[in-house]
Amino acid sequence: MSDDSKPLNFIEHIVEEDLANNFPKEHLRFRFPPEPNGYLHIGHASSISLNFGLGLRYNAPVNLRFDDTNPAKEEQEFVDAIKKDVTWLGYEWDTERYASDYFQQLYDWAIYLVKKGRAYVDNQSSEEMAAQKGTPTEPGTESPNRNRSVEENLALFNQMKKGEFKEGTHVLRAKIDMASSNMLMRDPIMYRVLHKAHHRTNTDWCIYPMYDWTHGESDYIEQVSHSFCTLEFAMHRELYDWFLDQVYDEKKVRPKQREFARRNLSHTVVSKRKLAQLVENGVVGSWDDPRMPTISGLRRRGYTPESIRNFTETIGIAKRDNLIDVSLLEFQVRNHLNKVAPRVMGVLDPLKVVITNYPEGEEEWLDAENNPEDESAGSRKVPFSREFYIEKEDFREEANKKFFRLKLGKEVRLKNAYIIKAESCTKDTDGNIIEVQCTYDPKSKSGSGTEESLRKVKGTLHWVSIKHAVEAEVRLYDRLFTDESPDTHKGKDFMDFVNPDSLQVIKGYLEPHLKEAKIGDRVQFQRLGYFCVDPDSTSEKLVFNKTVGLRDSWAKIAEK
RNA sequence: UGGCCCAUGGUGUAAUUGGCAACACUCCGGUUUUUGGUACCGUCAUUCAAGGUUCGAGUCCUUGUGGGCCAACCA
């Protein structure tokens, strides 16, 4: 495999080491286990790439497992969205599983634990139990219910299951060690009463297993060999192993939990809870708002699956805290779109230009290359006429030598058209330039092969013939937060850093064939950036999203 | 005051059993260019600190320092 040449991350080293220690390769199995309580985001993309990448690398199955043990938060809508996103990213799971598929098995095992004296029913309030829990530096105290008889526990647990108790009154706890230095080992809760309908099991159950009791056992049931999760679960590993010990059969694969650091992206938040807050508070329109770091948001923004996969590959996986600069993500989408996006012309901040020596009423259709990076993309025709738009910032009455664009008395090349020279301009009463008058060199037509057409002029501008222009709504996006790490400031809420100007809606003028553009189409507006057609687009009204700008070295020069 | 994890350029990751600190991005400078895009070339680190082991330490040991996580009937 070509993968062999690439350096391994620490997770791959762990797998390699297990293989070297005679773990059978055919027993390798992985899983991606989202809770269906929200949409997947760029952080999940790393986990998805890790697990499915391992599956590809070792030709091992990868399950998509929904960790659906909390009916209060989970919905079918999210299950569907997650499946769509994983598929869109280009991965195929072996089998689709649900933790809820295992509710009966988990229940049977719980009974087994009760019978072994390893679990008991506690009917104290959560406050009482919290008080007995102790602190990281002080041991906890044992519950008065800790030594109930097996018979009594069995009866109580049965009553819990039958719905005879109200929520919050009874729980099943593992009997471990109230003095453990690991708070999670201080008799953790295995089951709670929840009189809520579940999106899959409906009202079959009114007791639901907790994460810790569910996750490792689910891995075990599925015979997952390596269970990877984020660092905040590191302390859970001891409990994961303890629960496994209770039911483990030596002849089976024993799953191994290992942890990696969550990927943090600059100028955004990567947490389902916080992203949900942005939606609920109306900061963004929806989970798939193009400003969101969700997979669906990035998709709508115009990102390609390839660019996201390349991103996760280049940022890698490790255990240290990180804040990945968004420029690494932007590079990947530019890099991919540069190769595949057709070039077109669009003017977003129009200034009218009139060629005084071009015949009135005349028009010609000029050849334009679709993609200089891809000869097979061919060419198209664009209409040229006496009056057209250029960008306002592409004209100045006077400017220094670094300004390669149109200025009075100087020439520029119009992309795929003629060389023009600015002769004069007119202004409104406020002094704003509203029109530029030019002359053109009729022999300088692009591709005509004449001596004049081969002349070198410093600047090349994009333009759109006014008579032929198609209007479109264009949505420009800026970073969602003004701070690079909005949720890491103690005493400050991440919402305080929301960028009030993250969305700007303008009108653009595009070359006419864009009228045929379909939802999801991605193009490069030459000299401006990459844009895609938003799902809001209709046959009457085109809507484009700006995915990302081109690298802009002029902006840096202009700043100085 | 307890336990667990982590520390390599501006950012993210690499570095066979200890053996010339590498790759990508960014920044800065340059070449090419009918996109100030692309492509190409170049500059930017004595690996948190102090000791120790060793012919040799980013890697092993000790002690610091800094950061993260742990007391939801969430996952």
Side-chain angles (χ1 to χ4, degrees):
Chain A
M1 215 188 280
S2 62
D3 276 15
D4 292 348
S5 57
K6 271 192 293 183
L8 305 181
N9 61 45
F10 85 100
I11 294 281
E12 289 162 339
H13 278 298
I14 288 170
V15 176
E16 287 292 331
E17 198 183 324
D18 288 338
L19 256 17
N21 290 329
N22 299 319
F23 182 88
K25 188 168 180 286
E26 61 273 20
H27 286 178
L28 247 24
R29 180 182 282 272
F30 309 98
R31 106 266 93 118
F32 171 62
E35 181 189 11
N37 68 340
Y39 285 69
L40 259 25
H41 54 64
I42 188 71
H44 292 109
S46 267
S47 175
I48 291 167
S49 290
L50 172 70
N51 287 295
F52 285 94
L54 251 12
L56 259 16
R57 181 186 184 92
Y58 295 106
N59 193 27
V62 183
N63 288 347
L64 173 62
R65 182 171 76 232
F66 292 96
D67 237 331
D68 55 348
T69 57
N70 185 358
K73 290 184 177 177
E74 296 148 8
E75 290 170 34
Q76 186 61 38
E77 174 201 346
F78 298 131
V79 170
D80 297 337
I82 289 167
K83 286 163 67 175
K84 179 180 176 180
D85 287 350
V86 174
T87 301
W88 180 75
L89 281 173
Y91 294 108
E92 280 179 47
W93 52 86
D94 181 59
T95 53
E96 177 180 336
R97 302 297 188 100
Y98 295 81
S100 54
D101 292 341
Y102 313 136
F103 281 172
Q104 185 62 46
Q105 172 67 264
L106 257 11
Y107 176 76
D108 293 343
W109 274 333
I111 297 280
Y112 173 65
L113 256 66
V114 170
K115 288 181 176 166
K116 282 209 299 183
R118 297 283 172 79
Y120 63 97
V121 172
D122 203 341
N123 59 330
Q124 299 182 100
S125 69
S126 60
E127 291 75 21
E128 283 171 310
M129 287 193 282
Q132 289 158 8
K133 197 118 196 192
T135 71
T137 51
E138 296 161 45
T141 51
E142 296 184 352
S143 165
N145 301 313
R146 199 171 199 259
N147 296 309
R148 277 193 221 272
S149 69
V150 168
E151 292 67 33
E152 196 181 353
N153 279 321
L154 250 18
L156 250 16
F157 190 40
N158 187 242
Q159 282 180 282
M160 279 173 67
K161 181 180 186 262
K162 282 162 68 183
E164 294 177 15
F165 297 132
K166 285 188 189 153
E167 288 185 14
T169 60
H170 292 69
V171 292
L172 184 74
R173 288 227 255 173
K175 192 191 284 191
I176 309 181
D177 178 9
M178 289 306 289
S180 172
S181 58
N182 183 350
M183 300 292 289
L184 291 159
M185 300 299 280
R186 324 245 260 226
D187 289 10
I189 293 173
M190 294 171 66
Y191 276 93
R192 77 284 214 188
V193 174
L194 247 31
H195 293 284
K196 292 196 171 59
H198 184 280
H199 67 100
R200 295 188 76 243
T201 61
N202 204 279
T203 53
D204 292 354
W205 297 85
C206 63
I207 55 171
Y208 290 91
M210 300 287 287
Y211 166 84
D212 287 299
W213 171 234
T214 309
H215 204 88
E217 315 307 283
S218 299
D219 286 339
Y220 180 59
I221 290 167
E222 293 174 20
Q223 286 289 279
V224 165
S225 59
H226 298 264
S227 178
F228 300 113
C229 58
T230 47
L231 237 31
E232 62 265 31
F233 290 98
M235 300 299 292
H236 293 248
R237 190 152 108 197
E238 190 180 357
L239 183 52
Y240 179 101
D241 287 332
W242 189 91
F243 278 136
L244 231 36
D245 284 338
Q246 309 309 311
V247 302
Y248 181 59
D249 173 345
E250 303 259 324
K251 292 189 284 293
K252 292 194 163 179
V253 170
R254 183 184 170 103
K256 176 189 265 193
Q257 173 183 310
R258 288 297 180 270
E259 311 82 18
F260 60 90
R262 193 181 77 168
R263 277 30 306 262
N264 298 301
L265 231 209
S266 72
H267 301 283
T268 191
V269 290
V270 187
S271 138
K272 267 192 266 186
R273 203 197 92 240
K274 288 169 189 160
L275 293 173
Q277 221 174 309
L278 290 171
V279 176
E280 283 156 17
N281 294 4
V283 172
V284 296
S286 56
W287 281 95
D288 71 343
D289 186 294
R291 290 166 289 178
M292 291 282 268
T294 50
I295 303 299
S296 50
L298 291 166
R299 173 167 60 229
R300 191 167 170 186
R301 177 80 171 250
Y303 275 75
T304 61
E306 290 88 338
S307 62
I308 295 175
R309 277 192 262 121
N310 288 340
F311 170 70
T312 61
E313 212 167 283
T314 55
I315 62 173
I317 288 287
K319 293 185 82 166
R320 53 185 120 119
D321 294 327
N322 57 82
L323 181 62
I324 298 158
D325 197 291
V326 72
S327 66
L328 300 208
L329 215 210
E330 291 175 342
F331 166 78
Q332 294 297 163
V333 74
R334 282 195 196 103
N335 197 34
H336 186 219
L337 257 18
N338 175 50
K339 292 185 181 69
V340 301
R343 271 56 170 175
V344 298
M345 291 195 286
V347 174
L348 300 186
D349 188 14
L351 173 62
K352 183 179 174 182
V353 178
V354 178
I355 305 184
T356 54
N357 61 338
Y358 192 90
E360 232 160 310
E362 187 163 318
E363 68 176 51
E364 49 187 322
W365 288 73
L366 306 170
D367 283 316
E369 196 179 20
N370 284 331
N371 189 344
E373 304 288 319
D374 177 10
E375 214 158 302
S376 71
S379 65
R380 68 188 185 288
K381 297 280 190 184
V382 288
F384 184 76
S385 65
R386 183 180 155 95
E387 297 184 341
F388 53 88
Y389 290 130
I390 63 170
E391 300 290 342
K392 271 201 185 92
E393 64 163 21
D394 282 344
F395 173 75
R396 285 186 193 173
E397 287 180 90
E398 47 188 69
N400 65 26
K401 270 167 64 181
K402 284 185 177 170
F403 187 78
F404 302 160
R405 307 177 181 194
L406 193 60
K407 53 190 163 188
L408 259 18
K410 297 290 182 186
E411 291 185 318
V412 291
R413 150 95 41 204
L414 293 175
K415 180 79 180 169
N416 302 128
Y418 298 94
I419 294 173
I420 59 170
K421 182 179 182 183
E423 306 288 356
S424 57
C425 63
T426 53
K427 298 178 185 175
D428 64 14
T429 50
D430 295 327
N432 301 309
I433 298 165
I434 52 169
E435 186 185 296
V436 181
Q437 296 83 35
C438 292
T439 53
Y440 85 122
D441 177 353
K443 291 184 179 147
S444 65
K445 184 156 121 186
S446 292
S448 62
T450 62
E451 201 177 306
E452 290 85 348
S453 74
L454 298 173
R455 276 171 55 210
K456 299 283 178 196
V457 286
K458 194 59 185 169
T460 301
L461 307 185
H462 62 278
W463 51 274
V464 172
S465 167
I466 294 176
K467 190 170 77 179
H468 305 88
V470 176
E471 290 186 13
E473 176 176 315
V474 180
R475 299 173 180 171
L476 308 177
Y477 303 102
D478 196 357
R479 42 191 54 156
L480 241 189
F481 294 92
T482 53
D483 188 89
E484 66 170 9
S485 190
D487 54 353
T488 57
H489 299 278
K490 291 199 169 106
K492 282 194 178 174
D493 190 79
F494 74 100
M495 295 293 267
D496 296 345
F497 299 102
V498 166
N499 176 4
D501 304 313
S502 59
L503 170 64
Q504 192 192 349
V505 180
I506 60 172
K507 188 196 277 187
Y509 300 85
L510 317 177
E511 58 174 88
H513 90 277
L514 249 19
K515 193 175 273 176
E516 316 304 328
K518 301 279 178 296
I519 288 169
D521 282 358
R522 304 180 181 97
V523 295
Q524 183 197 87
F525 289 178
Q526 284 176 110
R527 301 213 301 136
L528 297 177
Y530 296 98
F531 294 77
C532 72
V533 183
D534 189 84
D536 286 347
S537 217
T538 64
S539 51
E540 283 85 56
K541 184 188 173 195
L542 269 176
V543 181
F544 277 86
N545 293 320
K546 182 174 182 177
T547 306
V548 67
L550 258 26
R551 278 184 65 213
D552 188 357
S553 43
W554 164 244
K556 288 162 196 160
I557 297 166
E559 255 177 49
K560 291 175 187 169

